[in-house]
Amino acid sequence: NRLSNVLAYFMEIADYREMWMTFFSDKCDINLDKNYRVAREQATTIGNDNKGRIDLLISDKNVALAIENKIKSGINRKSSDNFDENQLDRYLKYLKATKKDYLLVVLVPEYNKSEIQQKCGTRKKVKVMSYKDLYEFLTENVSVFANDSNFVAYVETIKRHTYHTEKEYLYDEMLQRFF
């Protein structure tokens, strides 16, 4: 997923680390230290058992924070081991095995949030977060990255996922372009 790649890129830039640490503290109640690492497509192997790949794994010596990006996709039920585990259960098992404080964030467009929340149920250590939450935080902190045209473009790109329906987004885009 390109948005995951770009998000990982900006999370790794030293000038933005404090902002991301604040984001995860405020929105997820997770406190990362400044030396956190970001891994893309992190294999979730426990022993010989491959549990899939987490889109983003942000970790330090005490915390493992996984972000699973769900744009135009749902929670995968396919399991390679014939057990009745879905994607979230497999990732949670992997995170628990890290022996760190952990959280799995499912990042979704606003227009898919309620559907994904239903599928996530009441699992502990899972937080469904919408792109609207991310977008609002970033626009409140624009001074941190205002001179970085690539970061500004990223924020504009995720805006389309902050609307309740795709029609809302298209209408707003039309208004901005033509009026």
Side-chain angles (χ1 to χ4, degrees), residues 11-14 16-22 24-25 30-38 58-65 100-101:
M11 286 181 175
E12 291 177 322
I13 294 175
Y16 305 141
R17 284 184 176 253
E18 288 288 334
M19 179 184 71
W20 291 116
M21 290 165 56
T22 300
F24 291 120
S25 176
I30 290 285
N31 296 308
L32 292 162
D33 69 41
K34 204 170 193 163
N35 297 316
Y36 67 80
R37 293 172 310 286
V38 180
I58 301 114
S59 60
D60 63 22
K61 63 183 180 207
N62 299 311
V63 175
L65 174 68
K100 298 179 180 184
D101 186 19

Side-chain angles (χ1 to χ4, degrees), residues 94-108:
Y94 169 80
L95 290 169
K96 186 175 183 179
T98 67
K99 307 256 192 264
K100 298 179 180 184
D101 186 19
Y102 66 92
L103 181 69
L104 172 58
V105 174
V106 183
L107 186 59
V108 299

Side-chain angles (χ1 to χ4, degrees), residues 75 112-123 128:
I75 305 300
N112 280 357
K113 189 174 181 180
S114 61
E115 176 188 335
I116 298 293
Q117 276 179 318
Q118 256 184 339
K119 289 182 180 178
C120 290
T122 58
R123 284 180 184 82
V128 177

